Amino acid sequence: MPDPRARALGLTPGLALADARARVPELAVFESDPAADQAWLERIADSCERYSPSVAADPPDGITIDITGCAHLFHGEAGLAGDLERRMARFTRHLRHAFADSPEGAQALARFGTLILPGTGRCPEGAEGPNALPRSLGTRDRAFDPSVSATRCHLPVPGRNDAEQAPLLRLPVAALRLDAETELALRRAGLKTIGDLALRPSAPIAARFGEAATTTLARLLGHADSRITPRRAAPALFFERRFAEPIARTEDALGTIGALGEEAARALEQRRMGGRRFAARLFRSDGAVRDLAIATGQPTRDPALLLRLFGERVETLADPLDPGFGFDMIRLSVPAIEPLAPAQLELEGGAIGEEAMAALVDRLSTRLGRGCLRRFAPRDTHIPEQTVLALPAAGPRRTGGWPEPRPGEPPLRPIHLFDPPQPIEVIAEVPDGPPHRFRWRRAQHDVVRFEGPERVAAEWWRHAEGLTRDYYRVEDARGRRFWVFRHGLYGSEKPDPRWYIHGLFA
C-alpha cells in the first residue's frame, strides 16, 4: 500500500517511472533493496516478540502475532494496540494494525480494512470472557505501509461475534490474496466483496474459481482451523521481567537474568528436569533486541552456574552489550530440557568428578565458543577413519561405548591414524600375500611378524563406492609396530594395488 503522501500526489503502485516523474518532477528514485526490506521486517518482528512468543512474518510488509492469553499484560487489547503504535513509531510513520479471530482475517483487516477506530488504527474489540477465543495481531511500511495483525482465533465457534464478522464481509475480494486471474474473474462475476462470496454455496464457487477461493475464505472468516507458524519454536519454559523504568547497566541486566534463572530452577525442579540450552532476550526501549545464549554439557538447574556462564558470554562478545536508552524487558527461555534426577553426593561430602568436568566443559565452551572444544564419540562403522566423530563437548553425548580388546589381546586399531594414509613401497607375495619388507620415509623396514589380513570393504548399503582394503598388523626387526593395508584386490579391482601405512601402534 503506498504512502498516503504519495497517494495525495497521484503516485500509485504500478505507475510507470516516466509518468511518476511527469506528475512529480522533483521525485527522487532509488533502486529497490529486497534484502534491506527483509532485514527491516525481521527487526520489527524481533521487537514484536515482546507481546507474544508466537510471531510470524508475512513478507514483504506484514507481521502476525498470536496474542492468545497475552493481552491482559497490557490491560486489554486497546492497551496492547497503544503500546504497539508507540513502539512502531521508531520504525515507520505509516502503521496499520487490526485484531481478528484468525490470522488471515487480521491481515485482511490490516491491509484492506477501513473500519478503524479513530486514534487507535484498530478494529472494534470483541467480547471478553471465559469463552473468549485466542487472538492475534498483524503490521506493514517502509516505501509501503507495514501491517501488524493480531489473531485471537484458532478454532471456529459458529454464530459468535457477528459484529466482528461485519468488517470482514465488507472487505474487497482482494483481501483473499488470490492470484490476479482468479481475483479478476471474481470481480467480473459480480463478487466484489467477501460478503458476496460468503452468501453463496461453497461448492459452485470451488468448481468455478478453484478450491483455493473457498479454503481461504473459510480461514479468513474463522470457519476453518488456521494457525500461524512462528518464526521461532516456542520454548519449553520462559520467564520474563518488565520494567516501568528501563535499566541501563549491564550488571543490572545480568542480575535480572540471575533472578529469572532462579525462577527457571524452581520450575525445572518441580518437573524433575534440567535445561540444556538457555537463551536470554533483552528488549531495548528503542525497539532493538539483543540475544544471549548458552549451552551446557549436561542438564542443569543451577542458577549460579547460569549466571556465571551468561557473564562469561557477555565478556566474550565482539560487539559489547550496549543498553542504549535501557532495557525495558528481559526474557529467559529454556528451549531444551531433559530429565534430571536429584544428585547423590558421596558419603564424605566430596564433589562428583563427572559434574566438575561438565562444569569445566561448560565454562570453556562458553568462553571459547561452542565449536572450539570437542569430544570424541564412537560411530557405528567399520571404515577406520570414520569410526570417530569430533563433536562439540557441550553437546549431547552419543549412546554406545568404545570397543574394548579381549583380555590379553593387543588392540585391533592403533592409537594414531594418518590422515590421509601415507603411501609405502612394499615387497609382498601376489596376489594377496602379507608384506615382507616396506620402505617408508626413506627408511627400510623388515617385517618379522604379521597378523592379518583384516578385509574391509566399502559400505555398499550406504551407497558408498571404494576399493577393498586388506589390513595387516606388522612388526619390524626393531620392534616397531605398524598398521598397513593393500588398497584394492589384484585383478578384480585393480591391476596394481598400492600399499599404504594407516597408523602406528604404541
Side-chain angles (χ1 to χ4, degrees):
M1 187 171 293
D3 187 294
R5 295 172 300 174
R7 193 184 304 111
L9 295 174
L11 303 179
T12 58
L15 188 67
L17 179 58
D19 295 336
R21 280 178 166 164
R23 298 181 183 183
V24 185
E26 64 277 12
L27 181 67
V29 180
F30 302 92
E31 291 288 339
S32 65
D33 190 349
D37 290 341
Q38 181 64 28
W40 170 84
L41 190 66
E42 293 293 336
R43 285 185 58 201
I44 294 181
D46 285 340
S47 182
C48 286
E49 288 191 4
R50 68 172 58 245
Y51 303 108
S52 168
S54 296
V55 177
D58 184 22
D61 56 359
I63 293 172
T64 304
I65 312 173
D66 186 348
I67 60 169
T68 305
C70 301
H72 70 281
L73 298 174
F74 303 90
H75 307 290
E77 293 177 2
L80 190 151
D83 188 77
L84 176 73
E85 285 185 337
R86 178 175 61 83
R87 295 187 184 279
M88 290 300 107
R90 299 183 176 91
F91 296 98
T92 176
R93 291 176 295 173
H94 308 290
L95 171 71
R96 293 172 59 89
H97 59 84
F99 294 83
D101 285 344
S102 68
E104 291 81 3
Q107 279 287 6
L109 288 171
R111 293 175 182 275
F112 301 93
T114 55
L115 296 181
I116 306 297
L117 294 180
T120 66
R122 56 185 300 278
C123 295
E125 187 169 345
E128 300 292 341
N131 298 321
L133 296 179
R135 299 181 70 94
S136 47
L137 171 77
T139 176
R140 40 183 203 89
D141 175 60
R142 196 159 183 145
F144 33 68
D145 297 340
S147 63
V148 179
S149 48
T151 178
R152 45 178 161 74
C153 170
H154 291 305
L155 298 176
V157 177
R160 179 186 177 273
N161 279 351
D162 292 337
E164 291 196 359
Q165 292 286 326
L168 290 171
L169 297 178
R170 287 194 287 268
L171 294 178
V173 292
L176 294 175
R177 301 172 70 180
L178 302 172
D179 59 87
E181 183 178 352
T182 303
E183 181 184 336
L184 179 61
L186 287 170
R187 287 192 278 108
R188 285 179 175 175
L191 305 174
K192 298 182 179 180
T193 66
I194 300 297
D196 295 336
L197 277 177
L199 293 176
R200 286 163 173 76
S202 59
I205 297 295
R208 183 172 179 183
F209 302 104
E211 292 286 346
T214 55
T215 302
T216 306
L217 177 65
R219 291 177 175 174
L220 186 146
L221 296 177
H223 298 160
D225 189 6
S226 180
R227 306 164 189 263
I228 69 172
T229 302
R231 302 164 63 235
R232 296 180 176 88
L237 294 170
F238 75 92
F239 310 86
E240 60 184 38
R241 289 281 176 86
R242 301 172 185 269
F243 308 101
E245 293 293 333
I247 57 176
R249 298 174 65 239
T250 302
E251 294 79 4
D252 295 336
L254 287 175
T256 301
I257 293 175
L260 295 175
E262 294 178 357
E263 294 184 24
R266 289 192 291 268
L268 289 169
E269 186 175 6
Q270 292 176 357
R271 300 189 180 193
R272 299 178 68 85
M273 306 289 282
R276 284 294 310 279
R277 295 200 307 272
F278 299 85
R281 302 207 83 190
L282 296 87
F283 296 83
R284 285 193 343 192
S285 57
D286 61 355
V289 179
R290 297 301 306 270
D291 290 309
L292 297 173
I294 61 172
T296 59
Q298 292 182 334
T300 183
R301 49 176 180 254
D302 183 0
L305 173 62
L306 299 182
L307 182 59
R308 183 170 68 250
L309 293 179
F310 273 113
E312 294 183 357
R313 173 64 71 199
V314 171
E315 293 177 2
T316 59
L317 290 176
D319 184 16
L321 191 64
D322 181 14
F325 292 102
F327 300 111
D328 58 2
M329 175 178 156
I330 296 178
R331 176 182 296 157
L332 177 67
S333 59
V334 191
I337 60 177
E338 294 181 4
L340 177 61
Q344 176 65 51
L345 298 178
E346 298 178 357
L347 294 177
E348 297 84 359
I352 300 177
E354 186 176 356
E355 292 187 357
M357 178 59 69
L360 176 61
V361 168
D362 295 340
R363 293 189 62 185
L364 293 177
S365 298
T366 301
R367 181 172 294 275
L368 303 177
R370 188 170 185 269
C372 294
L373 195 64
R374 295 185 171 270
R375 173 189 288 119
F376 290 116
R379 183 171 180 262
D380 185 16
T381 178
H382 64 267
I383 305 299
E385 62 271 20
Q386 298 178 9
T387 56
V388 176
L389 294 176
L391 303 176
R397 294 191 177 185
R398 298 173 66 93
T399 58
W402 299 95
E404 296 184 3
R406 296 178 181 178
E409 292 291 330
L412 298 177
R413 297 288 187 268
I415 297 177
H416 177 75
L417 289 180
F418 294 111
D419 184 22
Q422 299 187 10
I424 56 177
E425 300 175 3
V426 175
I427 297 177
E429 299 177 2
V430 293
D432 53 3
H436 293 292
R437 181 182 299 116
F438 65 91
R439 180 179 295 275
W440 176 51
R441 294 181 178 175
R442 296 182 295 181
Q444 181 171 296
H445 301 266
D446 294 321
V447 177
V448 295
R449 295 182 181 87
F450 74 90
E451 185 175 359
E454 177 189 355
R455 181 158 291 181
V456 176
E459 296 178 327
W460 53 267
W461 58 91
R462 294 178 177 170
H463 306 285
E465 297 181 0
L467 300 177
T468 303
R469 307 179 193 177
D470 281 347
Y471 279 90
Y472 293 87
R473 290 182 291 174
V474 301
E475 180 179 331
D476 67 2
R478 300 179 59 182
R480 292 172 295 188
R481 297 177 179 178
F482 307 89
W483 202 39
V484 300
F485 70 91
R486 179 176 46 238
H487 197 208
L489 301 178
Y490 274 106
S492 60
E493 292 184 350
K494 201 172 182 181
D496 185 20
R498 296 291 305 275
W499 284 82
Y500 296 86
I501 182 170
H502 204 168
L504 302 175
F505 289 95

